[in-house]
Amino acid sequence: MKDNTVGGPMKAGSRTRGASALGVIVVLWSVLAACSAAPADPGDARRQVPDWAEDATPGSVSRQLGVKIPARATDRRAAYQNGFQDDGLLLAFTLPTSEVDAFIGELAPENALTQRDKPLQQSFAPTTPFSHLDLAEPETLPEVREGQVCAPCEGRLNSLQVAVHPLDDRNSRVYLRGVD
C-alpha cells in the first residue's frame, strides 16, 4: 500500500512527541504571559482575592464571630479577609487577666484550653495573620493558652479559635481567629 502524504508515513511515536512539544510551548507561553502582565490597578473594579476589607471594625467582626467583646476590653483590633472560598475574621483585644476566665467561659470551648509554654518551633504562616493588625502571631509567643472554641460552629461560622497571652501581671491579650 502506498502512502500519499508528504514526507512519508508518520510513526506513532512522532505524533506523541509533536503533541508533547506543542503542550510545552503552550505552557511556556502562558507562564511568560503571566510574568510579563502588568500589576492590577488598585482602582480596578475587579477585586483581588484574598483581600482585606477596609470597613472591618471590632464591633462588626465580633458580631460575625458571635462573640461579645467585654466592656473593659481595650486596644480592640479587628480585620476581615475576603477569601477564595472562606473568609477569615480576626479579633484581638486586651483584657484584665482577672476577667479572662469569665470571658473564655462565655465562649464555651469544646475542650479546656491547653497551655503552651514555648513558641512553636515550626515556621507558621497563617492565611489570616495577626501581623495585619500589627500583632505577633499567638503561635510565636510563649506562655499561651489556646484552643478550639467550635468547629463547626452554629450559624454561618465554620470554626473559631482562641488564644490568650499574658502581657504583664495585670493584662492579657485575647486573640480570636474565625473562618466564615
Side-chain angles (χ1 to χ4, degrees):
M1 183 182 262
K2 201 167 191 182
D3 187 307
N4 292 330
T5 58
V6 177
M10 183 179 267
K11 296 179 184 172
S14 63
R15 183 174 298 162
T16 303
R17 282 190 298 275
S20 294
L22 180 60
V24 168
I25 291 169
V26 169
V27 168
L28 287 175
W29 179 80
S30 299
V31 169
L32 289 173
C35 291
S36 64
D41 176 12
D44 192 348
R46 294 174 294 184
R47 180 171 67 97
Q48 299 295 311
V49 178
D51 71 332
W52 295 97
E54 303 263 338
D55 59 348
T57 65
S60 67
V61 170
S62 70
R63 282 188 295 280
Q64 289 177 287
L65 291 174
V67 172
K68 183 180 177 191
I69 300 174
R72 292 193 46 193
T74 59
D75 191 20
R76 301 170 183 200
R77 304 180 195 195
Y80 185 96
Q81 184 184 50
N82 298 300
F84 291 106
Q85 292 180 343
D86 294 320
D87 296 334
L89 299 116
L90 299 176
L91 180 63
F93 51 84
T94 301
L95 193 62
T97 301
S98 62
E99 297 181 25
V100 168
D101 287 339
F103 173 76
I104 298 298
E106 289 178 20
L107 292 176
E110 295 173 342
N111 298 302
L113 300 185
T114 58
Q115 175 72 35
R116 183 175 38 78
D117 294 326
K118 296 182 180 184
L120 295 177
Q121 295 300 314
Q122 63 202 22
S123 63
F124 185 77
T127 56
T128 50
F130 281 96
S131 62
H132 182 73
L133 300 174
D134 295 324
L135 296 172
E137 301 303 321
E139 295 79 6
T140 66
L141 299 170
E143 301 176 27
V144 172
R145 288 192 303 154
E146 59 193 350
Q148 187 79 31
V149 174
C150 56
C153 305
E154 293 180 20
R156 292 181 4 168
L157 206 58
N158 294 337
S159 68
L160 178 61
Q161 298 174 328
V162 63
V164 179
H165 177 256
L167 297 174
D168 55 34
D169 292 340
R170 294 179 293 158
N171 296 298
S172 295
R173 176 162 288 123
V174 176
Y175 295 85
L176 293 160
R177 179 181 281 133
V179 176
D180 185 12

